[in-house]
Amino acid sequence: MLAQLVNGLIIGSIYGLMALGLTIIFGVLKIVNFSHGEFYMLGAYVSYFVSQTMGLHPILGIFVAILATFIIGMLIEKALLTPLFENKVERKDEYALLITFGLSLFLINMALAVFGPFQKSAPALTSGVINLGVITLSSGKVLAAVIAIGVLLCTLFIINKTWLGTALRAISQDRDASAIMGINAKRLGSIAFGLGACMAGAAGALLGPVFLVYPIMGTVPAIKSFVIIVLGSMGSIKGAIYGSLLVGIVESMGVFLLSPAYRDVYSFLILILILLFKPKGLFGGAQWNN
């Protein structure tokens, strides 16, 4: 049981990347990104081809995937979402929903056309196991968790301790007032979307060696990300992190105690139970920078 608990924390830390990326996009741009899972998929494919086709180490593939999805995310925000903030769109919520959902379908079909429908097995980050006496863990999963935690800590440092993070927090609170104070909201909006996208890409690159790589691999992780941010309170950074760890533990323990067949159902069950008692989530509707 201890091994399952640790495994849940490992998976939860990687889920945290997905959830925090979605939270950043929602907090700054005030939109729900329905194409988030496809950036997860793109990150996995970039990492796979860097390591498999180019022959580079899988860890290097992870950082290439982060950079690639960051740039792609920025370009997509600038091309497709800029009209939201230039008063060119009357029904902004509907526009954002249709654009991101359409982008999701486009990226899935592009992946099908370019990479084919077949599942690919990504090379492991490292081989062997770590024996801690009472539990034995895959060294590849442990390394993935360490990298995920490192990326999370770097992102939190940027948000809380840098000028960029201060500007992003200001935009999340009042976009117009931030522009008056000289903050370039358009440019930082693109950076925020790119940051959210690259975190999803990092999660895909880290979980690609654990699971398989294929065009629709991002669907379930994206749904879990939505579950996590609702569970932790929509827009709360702290809620996204704690919610991810909770979902990872619940899934892992559910597989161990009940049945692996319902692995993807356990997160919905915990969401329903918590919302019955705390309708606003674990942190009661906390703001983006909390």
Side-chain angles (χ1 to χ4, degrees):
M1 184 175 289
L2 181 59
Q4 293 299 321
L5 179 62
V6 174
N7 187 63
L9 290 172
I10 290 173
I11 297 297
S13 65
I14 301 174
Y15 284 165
L17 291 174
M18 286 283 289
L20 184 55
L22 197 59
T23 299
I24 290 172
I25 293 172
F26 176 79
V28 176
L29 299 177
K30 308 303 180 189
I31 64 170
V32 178
N33 179 23
F34 286 97
S35 62
H36 201 60
E38 281 54 64
F39 288 101
Y40 172 93
M41 175 266 294
L42 288 176
Y45 268 114
V46 170
S47 177
Y48 172 82
F49 277 99
V50 165
S51 57
Q52 197 76 349
T53 304
M54 300 175 65
L56 302 177
H57 196 280
I59 294 178
L60 181 60
I62 293 169
F63 293 102
V64 173
I66 291 173
L67 178 61
T69 47
F70 177 76
I71 293 171
I72 292 170
M74 284 189 63
L75 294 175
I76 285 175
E77 194 281 336
K78 193 170 289 293
L80 300 179
L81 297 174
T82 297
L84 280 172
F85 310 106
E86 294 182 340
N87 297 320
K88 294 180 179 180
V89 179
E90 292 183 3
R91 305 176 69 175
K92 294 184 177 182
D93 291 339
E94 290 86 345
Y95 177 86
L97 187 152
L98 290 173
I99 284 293
T100 57
F101 186 72
L103 177 62
S104 170
L105 295 177
F106 170 78
L107 291 175
I108 288 173
N109 283 280
M110 182 192 72
L112 282 167
V114 174
F115 306 121
F118 305 108
Q119 297 177 333
K120 303 179 186 298
S121 179
L125 297 180
T126 183
S127 58
V129 296
I130 298 175
N131 193 337
L132 300 178
V134 291
I135 58 173
T136 301
L137 301 170
S138 165
S139 57
K141 283 187 178 181
V142 172
L143 180 57
V146 169
I147 294 173
I149 292 169
V151 173
L152 281 171
L153 291 175
C154 287
T155 305
L156 293 175
F157 177 81
I158 290 171
I159 292 171
N160 294 311
K161 301 296 183 180
T162 66
W163 177 89
L164 174 61
T166 301
L168 290 175
R169 295 200 308 274
I171 294 172
S172 74
Q173 294 174 16
D174 193 321
R175 191 181 183 90
D176 294 331
S178 301
I180 292 172
M181 297 302 294
I183 297 174
N184 190 328
K186 289 182 183 179
R187 182 182 301 166
L188 289 177
S190 298
I191 291 174
F193 195 89
L195 188 59
C198 79
M199 296 193 75
L206 289 168
L207 285 179
V210 179
F211 304 112
L212 296 171
V213 180
Y214 54 99
I216 59 171
M217 64 180 291
T219 302
V220 172
I223 293 172
K224 289 180 182 179
S225 298
F226 286 113
V227 168
I228 288 166
I229 63 171
V230 173
L231 178 67
S233 297
M234 196 76 170
S236 168
I237 290 178
K238 183 165 58 176
I241 295 173
Y242 288 137
S244 301
L245 296 176
L246 178 60
V247 167
I249 291 170
V250 168
E251 279 189 6
S252 187
M253 297 306 293
V255 167
F256 177 69
L257 297 173
L258 299 174
S259 169
Y262 302 103
R263 179 190 185 95
D264 297 324
V265 176
Y266 301 132
S267 55
F268 291 98
L269 293 178
I270 193 66
L271 173 66
I272 293 169
L273 288 173
I274 287 179
L275 292 185
L276 283 174
F277 299 99
K278 300 197 69 174
K280 291 185 178 180
L282 291 173
F283 294 93
Q287 296 299 313
W288 178 73
N289 56 340
N290 291 329

